[in-house]
Each structure stands twice: as structure tokens, then as C-alpha cells.
Amino acid sequence: MQALTLWSYHSTLTLALDVAKSFLTSAEHLMAIWPCPAQYRRYKILYERLTTACYTAGMPPPAPGLIASPMLL
């Protein structure tokens, strides 16, 4: 996700993390409509990276979303 890459280069750009969280929500909606195990695995990796970045920046992490109730393995 480009927003995470941008934040990793300049950690004061917390707006990039907000953008990443909004795109993560969009991805969750898309996966709810069209489930795919391969995409879910990629989603989990991005979710974990974004959560770590949010904690590092002192921001609230993204909502649990699909991680809280994994329907795909």
C-alpha cells in the first residue's frame, strides 16, 4: 500500500496512515462481496503492517474488520 510506504519514508505524515485505514475499509467491503483466500492473506499482512505503523505513530489502530472474524483461510 503506497500510503504505508510514504509514511515509512516520513513518519510525521500521519495523514498517510489515515488514508491507508480508509482504503483498508474499502478492501474489507470488496472481500465481503467477493471472498478470495489469496486476497485475504494479503489483507492480513497489510492489516498487521498498518496496525504496527499506527501504534508507532501514536494513533488508534484500524478497526478489527475481517481480522476479528476471519471467514477465509
Side-chain angles (χ1 to χ4, degrees):
M1 187 179 298
Q2 299 298 337
L4 277 173
T5 302
L6 179 62
W7 178 82
S8 71
Y9 288 131
H10 202 286
S11 62
T12 61
L13 296 174
T14 56
L15 179 62
L17 295 179
D18 288 330
V19 170
K21 286 195 277 188
S22 68
F23 277 110
L24 192 71
T25 302
S26 299
E28 289 172 357
H29 289 290
L30 184 60
M31 286 190 303
I33 296 169
W34 189 5
C36 173
Q39 279 301 112
Y40 181 70
R41 286 190 293 275
R42 293 185 70 199
Y43 164 83
K44 282 175 51 175
I45 292 167
L46 284 173
Y47 178 86
E48 291 166 4
R49 285 182 55 205
L50 181 55
T51 300
T52 301
C54 286
Y55 282 130
T56 301
M59 296 176 62
L66 292 175
I67 295 293
S69 58
M71 61 182 180
L72 303 168
L73 298 174

